[in-house]
Amino acid sequence: MEDLIRQAFLHVEVIGPHVAEGHYDLVGPNGEIILPQVWETMIEPDWVITMHMWPMPEPPPPEPPPPEAPAEAVIDVPPKDDKAVPPAPPPAPGGPKKKPPKQSGFLAWTAGKPKNSKSLKAQRKLKGIGSVAHVQEVTV
């Protein structure tokens, strides 16, 4: 009977090798384990025999990869030259900062910017733009 069981599990990938090594129990209808040595004397007609596999061992955890050696840095140092001028520092990241455009009119009002206290006409008058005081006399 053992040979018949081994042949049945010969091509089963996972449990086939365990069956070939005898890692199973044959259990009779009353729950008793039937040993292979007493199979011929113990089995009776119309019995239902159950095959129980033994617990399979846990696969070993994968080995951690070997630690890598630290990379060596190679620095190319040019020969010292007293007349050499050091290179200019790199430009600042992002370039020069730009001022945001001045908001005026409706856009400034919707953005919640406070209204100028003086009107545009009053501001021009103070600067002298567009008035007679702004015109200079030129003699030829």
Side-chain angles (χ1 to χ4, degrees), residues 39-130:
W39 175 269
E40 296 293 330
T41 59
M42 193 166 183
I43 298 301
E44 295 181 15
D46 295 328
W47 270 17
V48 176
I49 306 298
T50 308
M51 180 178 179
H52 287 273
M53 294 296 299
W54 295 353
M56 296 180 65
E58 293 289 325
E63 293 183 23
E68 295 181 15
E72 294 182 20
V74 177
I75 301 173
D76 186 22
V77 180
K80 188 173 181 181
D81 186 10
D82 293 335
K83 296 178 185 177
V85 177
K97 299 209 178 210
K98 296 180 182 178
K99 291 183 180 178
K102 186 176 181 182
Q103 295 178 349
S104 62
F106 181 75
L107 183 61
W109 177 76
T110 57
K113 186 174 181 182
K115 185 178 175 185
N116 287 342
S117 59
K118 296 183 181 179
S119 68
L120 183 60
K121 194 172 187 180
Q123 289 176 3
R124 284 187 175 174
K125 202 173 204 181
L126 287 175
K127 290 183 180 178
I129 301 173

Side-chain angles (χ1 to χ4, degrees), residues 9-68:
F9 287 92
L10 184 63
H11 300 291
V12 179
E13 290 181 27
V14 178
I15 61 172
H18 295 284
V19 171
E21 293 176 6
H23 296 171
Y24 62 91
D25 290 326
L26 297 174
V27 181
N30 296 333
E32 69 274 0
I33 295 176
I34 302 170
L35 298 173
Q37 297 86 358
V38 295
W39 175 269
E40 296 293 330
T41 59
M42 193 166 183
I43 298 301
E44 295 181 15
D46 295 328
W47 270 17
V48 176
I49 306 298
T50 308
M51 180 178 179
H52 287 273
M53 294 296 299
W54 295 353
M56 296 180 65
E58 293 289 325
E63 293 183 23
E68 295 181 15

